[in-house]
Structures are given as C-alpha cells and as structure tokens.
Coordinates of all heavy atoms in Angstrom, one line a residue:
M1 N 0.8 -1.2 0.0 CA 0.0 0.0 0.0 C 0.9 1.2 0.0 O 1.8 1.4 0.8 CB -0.9 0.0 1.3 CG -2.2 0.6 1.1 SD -3.3 0.4 2.5 CE -3.3 -1.4 2.7
K2 N 0.7 2.1 -0.9 CA 1.5 3.3 -1.1 C 1.0 4.3 0.0 O -0.1 4.5 0.3 CB 1.3 3.9 -2.5 CG 2.1 5.1 -2.7 CD 1.9 5.7 -4.1 CE 2.7 7.0 -4.3 NZ 2.4 7.6 -5.5
E3 N 2.0 5.1 0.5 CA 1.7 6.1 1.5 C 2.0 7.5 0.9 O 3.1 7.6 0.3 CB 2.5 5.9 2.8 CG 2.2 6.8 3.9 CD 2.9 6.3 5.2 OE1 2.4 5.4 5.9 OE2 4.0 6.9 5.4
V4 N 1.1 8.4 0.9 CA 1.3 9.7 0.3 C 1.4 10.7 1.4 O 0.6 10.7 2.4 CB 0.1 10.0 -0.6 CG1 0.3 11.4 -1.2 CG2 -0.2 9.0 -1.6
K5 N 2.4 11.6 1.4 CA 2.7 12.6 2.4 C 2.3 14.0 1.9 O 2.6 14.4 0.8 CB 4.2 12.6 2.8 CG 4.5 11.4 3.6 CD 5.9 11.4 4.1 CE 6.3 10.2 4.9 NZ 7.5 10.3 5.5
F6 N 1.7 14.7 2.8 CA 1.2 16.1 2.5 C 1.8 17.1 3.5 O 1.9 16.7 4.7 CB -0.3 16.2 2.5 CG -1.0 15.4 1.5 CD1 -1.4 14.1 1.7 CD2 -1.3 16.0 0.3 CE1 -2.1 13.4 0.7 CE2 -1.9 15.3 -0.7 CZ -2.4 14.0 -0.5
F7 N 2.1 18.3 3.1 CA 2.4 19.4 4.0 C 1.1 20.2 4.1 O 0.6 20.6 3.1 CB 3.5 20.3 3.4 CG 3.9 21.4 4.3 CD1 4.8 21.3 5.3 CD2 3.3 22.7 4.1 CE1 5.1 22.3 6.1 CE2 3.6 23.7 4.9 CZ 4.6 23.6 5.9
V8 N 0.6 20.3 5.4 CA -0.7 20.9 5.6 C -0.5 22.2 6.4 O 0.1 22.2 7.5 CB -1.6 20.0 6.4 CG1 -3.0 20.6 6.6 CG2 -1.8 18.6 5.6
S9 N -1.1 23.3 6.0 CA -1.1 24.6 6.7 C -2.5 25.0 7.0 O -3.3 25.2 6.0 CB -0.4 25.6 5.8 OG -0.4 26.9 6.4
V10 N -2.8 25.0 8.2 CA -4.2 25.5 8.7 C -4.0 26.8 9.4 O -3.1 27.0 10.2 CB -4.8 24.4 9.7 CG1 -6.1 24.9 10.2 CG2 -4.8 23.0 9.1
T11 N -4.9 27.7 9.0 CA -4.9 29.1 9.5 C -4.9 29.1 11.1 O -5.7 28.4 11.7 CB -6.1 29.9 9.0 OG1 -6.0 29.9 7.6 CG2 -6.1 31.3 9.6
G12 N -3.9 29.8 11.7 CA -3.8 29.9 13.1 C -3.2 28.7 13.8 O -3.1 28.6 15.0
E13 N -2.7 27.7 13.1 CA -2.1 26.5 13.7 C -0.7 26.3 13.1 O -0.4 26.8 12.1 CB -3.0 25.2 13.3 CG -4.4 25.3 13.7 CD -4.6 25.2 15.2 OE1 -3.7 24.7 15.9 OE2 -5.7 25.7 15.7
D14 N 0.1 25.5 13.8 CA 1.4 25.1 13.3 C 1.2 24.2 12.1 O 0.3 23.3 12.1 CB 2.3 24.4 14.3 CG 2.7 25.4 15.4 OD1 2.8 26.6 15.2 OD2 2.9 24.9 16.6
P15 N 2.1 24.3 11.1 CA 2.0 23.4 9.9 C 2.3 21.9 10.4 O 3.1 21.7 11.3 CB 3.0 23.9 8.9 CG 3.8 24.9 9.6 CD 3.1 25.3 10.9
V16 N 1.8 21.0 9.7 CA 2.0 19.6 10.0 C 2.2 18.8 8.7 O 1.8 19.2 7.6 CB 0.9 18.9 10.8 CG1 0.7 19.5 12.1 CG2 -0.4 19.0 10.0
V17 N 2.9 17.7 8.8 CA 3.1 16.7 7.7 C 2.1 15.5 8.0 O 2.2 15.0 9.1 CB 4.5 16.2 7.5 CG1 4.6 15.1 6.5 CG2 5.4 17.4 7.1
V18 N 1.3 15.2 7.1 CA 0.3 14.1 7.3 C 0.5 13.0 6.2 O 0.7 13.3 5.0 CB -1.1 14.6 7.2 CG1 -2.1 13.5 7.3 CG2 -1.4 15.7 8.2
S19 N 0.6 11.8 6.7 CA 0.7 10.6 5.7 C -0.6 10.0 5.6 O -1.3 9.7 6.6 CB 1.7 9.6 6.3 OG 3.0 10.2 6.4
V20 N -1.0 9.7 4.4 CA -2.3 9.0 4.1 C -2.0 7.8 3.3 O -1.4 7.9 2.2 CB -3.3 9.9 3.3 CG1 -4.6 9.2 3.1 CG2 -3.5 11.2 4.1
K21 N -2.4 6.6 3.7 CA -2.3 5.4 3.0 C -3.3 5.4 1.8 O -4.4 5.7 2.0 CB -2.5 4.2 3.9 CG -1.3 4.0 4.8 CD -1.5 2.7 5.6 CE -0.4 2.6 6.6 NZ -0.6 1.4 7.5
D22 N -2.8 5.0 0.6 CA -3.7 4.9 -0.5 C -4.3 3.5 -0.5 O -3.8 2.5 -1.0 CB -2.8 5.1 -1.8 CG -3.7 5.2 -3.0 OD1 -4.9 5.3 -2.9 OD2 -3.1 5.3 -4.1
D23 N -5.5 3.4 0.1 CA -6.1 2.2 0.4 C -7.5 2.1 -0.4 O -8.4 2.8 -0.1 CB -6.4 2.1 1.9 CG -7.0 0.7 2.3 OD1 -7.3 -0.1 1.5 OD2 -7.2 0.6 3.5
I24 N -7.5 1.1 -1.3 CA -8.7 1.0 -2.1 C -9.9 0.4 -1.3 O -11.0 0.4 -1.8 CB -8.5 0.1 -3.4 CG1 -8.0 -1.3 -3.0 CG2 -7.5 0.8 -4.3 CD1 -8.0 -2.3 -4.1
N25 N -9.6 -0.1 -0.1 CA -10.6 -0.7 0.7 C -11.2 0.3 1.7 O -12.0 -0.1 2.6 CB -10.1 -1.9 1.4 CG -9.7 -3.0 0.5 OD1 -10.4 -3.3 -0.5 ND2 -8.5 -3.6 0.7
R26 N -10.8 1.6 1.6 CA -11.3 2.6 2.5 C -12.8 2.7 2.4 O -13.3 2.7 1.3 CB -10.6 3.9 2.2 CG -11.0 5.0 3.1 CD -10.2 6.3 2.8 NE -8.8 6.1 3.3 CZ -7.7 6.1 2.4 NH1 -7.9 6.3 1.2 NH2 -6.5 6.0 2.9
P27 N -13.5 2.9 3.5 CA -15.0 3.1 3.4 C -15.4 4.2 2.5 O -14.7 5.3 2.4 CB -15.4 3.4 4.8 CG -14.3 2.8 5.7 CD -13.1 2.9 4.9
N28 N -16.4 4.0 1.7 CA -16.9 5.0 0.7 C -15.9 5.3 -0.4 O -16.1 6.2 -1.2 CB -17.3 6.3 1.4 CG -18.4 6.2 2.4 OD1 -19.3 5.3 2.2 ND2 -18.3 6.9 3.5
N29 N -14.8 4.5 -0.5 CA -13.8 4.6 -1.5 C -13.3 6.0 -1.7 O -13.1 6.5 -2.8 CB -14.4 4.0 -2.8 CG -13.5 3.1 -3.5 OD1 -12.5 2.7 -3.0 ND2 -14.0 2.6 -4.7
L30 N -13.0 6.7 -0.6 CA -12.5 8.0 -0.7 C -11.0 8.0 -1.3 O -10.3 7.1 -1.0 CB -12.4 8.7 0.7 CG -13.7 8.9 1.4 CD1 -13.5 9.4 2.8 CD2 -14.6 9.8 0.6
S31 N -10.7 9.1 -2.0 CA -9.4 9.2 -2.6 C -8.5 9.7 -1.4 O -8.9 10.0 -0.3 CB -9.4 10.2 -3.7 OG -9.6 11.5 -3.2
V32 N -7.2 9.7 -1.7 CA -6.2 10.2 -0.7 C -6.5 11.6 -0.3 O -6.5 12.0 0.9 CB -4.8 10.0 -1.3 CG1 -3.7 10.7 -0.4 CG2 -4.4 8.6 -1.5
S33 N -6.8 12.5 -1.3 CA -7.0 13.9 -1.0 C -8.3 14.1 -0.2 O -8.4 14.9 0.7 CB -7.1 14.7 -2.3 OG -5.9 14.7 -3.0
E34 N -9.4 13.3 -0.6 CA -10.6 13.4 0.1 C -10.5 12.9 1.6 O -11.0 13.5 2.5 CB -11.7 12.5 -0.6 CG -12.1 13.1 -1.9 CD -13.0 12.1 -2.7 OE1 -12.8 10.9 -2.6 OE2 -13.9 12.6 -3.3
T35 N -9.7 11.9 1.8 CA -9.4 11.4 3.1 C -8.7 12.5 4.0 O -9.0 12.7 5.1 CB -8.5 10.1 3.1 OG1 -9.3 9.1 2.3 CG2 -8.3 9.6 4.5
L36 N -7.7 13.1 3.3 CA -6.9 14.2 4.0 C -7.9 15.3 4.4 O -7.9 15.8 5.5 CB -5.8 14.7 3.1 CG -5.1 15.9 3.7 CD1 -4.3 15.6 5.0 CD2 -4.1 16.5 2.7
E37 N -8.7 15.8 3.5 CA -9.6 16.9 3.7 C -10.6 16.5 4.8 O -10.9 17.4 5.7 CB -10.4 17.2 2.4 CG -9.5 17.9 1.4 CD -10.1 18.1 0.0 OE1 -11.3 17.7 -0.1 OE2 -9.4 18.6 -0.8
E38 N -11.1 15.3 4.9 CA -12.0 14.8 6.0 C -11.3 14.9 7.3 O -11.8 15.3 8.3 CB -12.5 13.4 5.7 CG -13.5 13.0 6.6 CD -14.1 11.6 6.2 OE1 -14.9 11.6 5.2 OE2 -13.8 10.6 6.8
W39 N -10.0 14.5 7.3 CA -9.2 14.5 8.5 C -9.0 15.9 9.0 O -9.1 16.2 10.2 CB -7.8 13.8 8.3 CG -6.9 13.8 9.5 CD1 -6.9 12.9 10.5 CD2 -6.0 14.8 9.8 NE1 -6.0 13.3 11.5 CE2 -5.4 14.4 11.1 CE3 -5.5 16.0 9.2 CZ2 -4.4 15.2 11.7 CZ3 -4.5 16.7 9.9 CH2 -4.0 16.3 11.1
I40 N -8.7 16.8 8.1 CA -8.5 18.3 8.5 C -9.8 18.8 9.1 O -9.8 19.4 10.1 CB -8.1 19.1 7.2 CG1 -6.7 18.7 6.8 CG2 -8.1 20.6 7.6 CD1 -6.3 19.3 5.4
H41 N -11.0 18.6 8.5 CA -12.2 19.0 9.0 C -12.5 18.4 10.4 O -13.0 19.1 11.3 CB -13.4 18.8 8.1 CG -13.4 19.7 6.9 ND1 -13.6 21.0 7.0 CD2 -13.2 19.4 5.6 CE1 -13.5 21.6 5.8 NE2 -13.3 20.6 4.9
D42 N -12.2 17.1 10.6 CA -12.4 16.5 11.8 C -11.6 17.0 12.9 O -12.0 17.1 14.1 CB -12.2 15.0 11.7 CG -13.2 14.2 10.9 OD1 -14.3 14.8 10.7 OD2 -13.0 13.0 10.6
N43 N -10.3 17.5 12.6 CA -9.4 17.9 13.6 C -9.3 19.5 13.8 O -8.9 19.9 14.8 CB -8.0 17.4 13.3 CG -7.9 15.9 13.6 OD1 -7.7 15.5 14.7 ND2 -8.1 15.1 12.6
Y44 N -9.7 20.2 12.7 CA -9.5 21.7 12.8 C -10.8 22.4 12.5 O -10.8 23.6 12.4 CB -8.5 22.1 11.8 CG -7.1 21.6 12.2 CD1 -6.5 20.5 11.5 CD2 -6.4 22.2 13.2 CE1 -5.3 20.0 11.8 CE2 -5.1 21.7 13.5 CZ -4.6 20.6 12.8 OH -3.3 20.1 13.1
G45 N -11.9 21.7 12.3 CA -13.2 22.4 12.0 C -13.2 23.0 10.6 O -12.6 22.5 9.6
F46 N -13.7 24.2 10.5 CA -13.9 24.9 9.3 C -12.9 26.0 9.0 O -13.1 27.0 8.3 CB -15.3 25.4 9.1 CG -16.3 24.3 9.0 CD1 -17.0 23.9 10.1 CD2 -16.5 23.6 7.8 CE1 -17.9 22.8 10.1 CE2 -17.4 22.6 7.7 CZ -18.1 22.2 8.9
K47 N -11.7 25.9 9.7 CA -10.6 26.8 9.4 C -10.1 26.7 8.0 O -10.2 25.6 7.4 CB -9.5 26.6 10.4 CG -9.8 26.9 11.8 CD -8.6 26.7 12.7 CE -8.8 27.1 14.1 NZ -7.6 27.0 15.0
E48 N -9.6 27.8 7.5 CA -9.0 27.8 6.1 C -7.8 27.0 6.2 O -7.0 27.0 7.1 CB -8.8 29.2 5.6 CG -10.0 30.0 5.3 CD -9.7 31.3 4.6 OE1 -8.6 31.4 3.9 OE2 -10.4 32.2 4.8
Y49 N -7.5 26.2 5.1 CA -6.3 25.4 5.0 C -5.8 25.3 3.6 O -6.6 25.5 2.6 CB -6.6 24.0 5.6 CG -7.6 23.2 4.8 CD1 -7.2 22.4 3.8 CD2 -8.9 23.3 5.1 CE1 -8.1 21.7 3.0 CE2 -9.8 22.5 4.4 CZ -9.4 21.7 3.4 OH -10.3 21.0 2.7
E50 N -4.6 24.9 3.5 CA -3.9 24.6 2.2 C -3.1 23.4 2.4 O -2.6 23.1 3.5 CB -3.0 25.7 1.7 CG -3.8 27.0 1.3 CD -2.8 28.0 0.7 OE1 -2.1 28.7 1.5 OE2 -2.7 28.1 -0.5
Y51 N -2.9 22.6 1.4 CA -2.0 21.4 1.5 C -1.3 21.2 0.2 O -1.8 21.6 -0.9 CB -2.7 20.2 2.0 CG -3.8 19.7 1.1 CD1 -3.5 18.8 0.0 CD2 -5.2 20.0 1.3 CE1 -4.5 18.3 -0.8 CE2 -6.2 19.5 0.4 CZ -5.8 18.7 -0.6 OH -6.8 18.2 -1.4
W52 N -0.1 20.6 0.3 CA 0.7 20.3 -0.9 C 1.2 18.9 -0.8 O 1.6 18.5 0.3 CB 1.9 21.3 -0.9 CG 1.5 22.7 -1.0 CD1 1.3 23.4 -2.2 CD2 1.3 23.6 0.0 NE1 1.0 24.7 -1.9 CE2 0.9 24.9 -0.5 CE3 1.3 23.5 1.4 CZ2 0.6 26.0 0.2 CZ3 1.0 24.6 2.2 CH2 0.6 25.8 1.6
L53 N 1.2 18.2 -1.9 CA 1.8 16.9 -1.9 C 3.3 17.1 -1.8 O 3.9 17.9 -2.6 CB 1.5 16.2 -3.3 CG 1.9 14.8 -3.5 CD1 1.3 13.9 -2.5 CD2 1.5 14.4 -4.9
I54 N 4.0 16.5 -0.9 CA 5.4 16.7 -0.6 C 6.2 16.3 -1.8 O 7.2 17.0 -2.2 CB 5.9 16.0 0.6 CG1 5.3 16.7 1.9 CG2 7.4 15.9 0.7 CD1 5.7 16.2 3.2
D55 N 5.9 15.3 -2.6 CA 6.6 14.9 -3.8 C 6.6 15.9 -4.8 O 7.5 16.0 -5.7 CB 6.1 13.6 -4.3 CG 6.4 12.4 -3.5 OD1 7.3 12.5 -2.6 OD2 5.7 11.3 -3.6
D56 N 5.6 16.8 -4.8 CA 5.5 17.9 -5.8 C 6.3 19.2 -5.4 O 6.4 20.1 -6.2 CB 4.0 18.3 -6.0 CG 3.2 17.2 -6.7 OD1 3.9 16.3 -7.3 OD2 2.0 17.3 -6.7
C57 N 6.8 19.2 -4.1 CA 7.5 20.4 -3.6 C 8.9 20.3 -4.1 O 9.6 19.2 -4.1 CB 7.4 20.4 -2.1 SG 5.8 20.7 -1.4
E58 N 9.5 21.5 -4.3 CA 10.9 21.5 -4.7 C 11.7 21.3 -3.4 O 11.4 21.8 -2.3 CB 11.2 22.9 -5.2 CG 12.6 23.1 -5.7 CD 12.8 24.4 -6.4 OE1 11.9 25.0 -6.9 OE2 14.0 24.9 -6.3
T59 N 12.7 20.4 -3.5 CA 13.5 20.1 -2.3 C 15.0 20.5 -2.5 O 15.5 20.3 -3.6 CB 13.4 18.5 -2.1 OG1 12.1 18.1 -2.0 CG2 14.2 18.1 -0.9
H60 N 15.6 21.0 -1.5 CA 17.0 21.4 -1.5 C 17.7 20.8 -0.4 O 17.3 20.8 0.7 CB 17.1 23.0 -1.3 CG 16.5 23.7 -2.4 ND1 17.1 24.1 -3.6 CD2 15.2 24.3 -2.5 CE1 16.3 24.8 -4.4 NE2 15.1 24.9 -3.7
C61 N 18.9 20.1 -0.7 CA 19.7 19.6 0.3 C 20.9 20.4 0.4 O 21.7 20.6 -0.5 CB 20.1 18.1 -0.1 SG 18.8 17.0 -0.2
I62 N 21.1 21.0 1.6 CA 22.3 21.9 1.8 C 23.2 21.4 2.9 O 22.9 20.6 3.7 CB 21.8 23.4 2.1 CG1 20.9 23.4 3.3 CG2 21.0 23.9 0.9 CD1 20.5 24.8 3.8

C-alpha cells in the first residue's frame, strides 16, 4: 500500500506533515485527497487550510 505525504497549513495552527495510505478498501472509496480533507475538518473544523503533496514540492539539500 502506497503512503502519500502532504504538508498541511491550517490558519492559526502550526503546519504539519500528514501521511495518508492509498487504500482501495477505505470506506466510501475516498481518494487520498478526500481522506486528508476529511481528517482536516475532523481535527480543525472549518478553518481555512492549504495542503501540498510533498513529492510535488521543490527540495533542496544543503
């Protein structure tokens, strides 16, 4: 099962990294993004948020 990592920024909160397993057996067959959005609403209510797939972010090793 593939695990997808997101960088999540919620207004008024510290940013977090969230890992979501890409599970085809998930109830209601939610996608990885839908599962993340449901988790954000369950934990932060209706605050504004943004998230980025970590693999899509530019990475620098210094």
Side-chain angles (χ1 to χ4, degrees):
M1 212 174 304
K2 182 180 176 187
E3 191 172 274
V4 182
K5 290 186 179 185
F6 295 92
F7 180 85
V8 180
S9 176
V10 178
T11 302
E13 304 289 339
D14 290 335
V16 295
V17 173
V18 179
S19 297
V20 181
K21 289 183 182 176
D22 191 7
D23 185 358
I24 61 170
N25 297 315
R26 183 176 287 115
N28 299 325
N29 229 2
L30 296 176
S31 70
V32 172
S33 296
E34 291 170 324
T35 302
L36 174 66
E37 290 170 1
E38 188 174 286
W39 179 85
I40 293 169
H41 286 294
D42 288 348
N43 288 278
Y44 297 102
F46 293 99
K47 292 183 178 182
E48 288 187 29
Y49 64 89
E50 292 182 282
Y51 62 86
W52 299 270
L53 183 62
I54 288 182
D55 289 342
D56 290 346
C57 295
E58 186 174 330
T59 305
H60 298 272
C61 295
I62 56 173

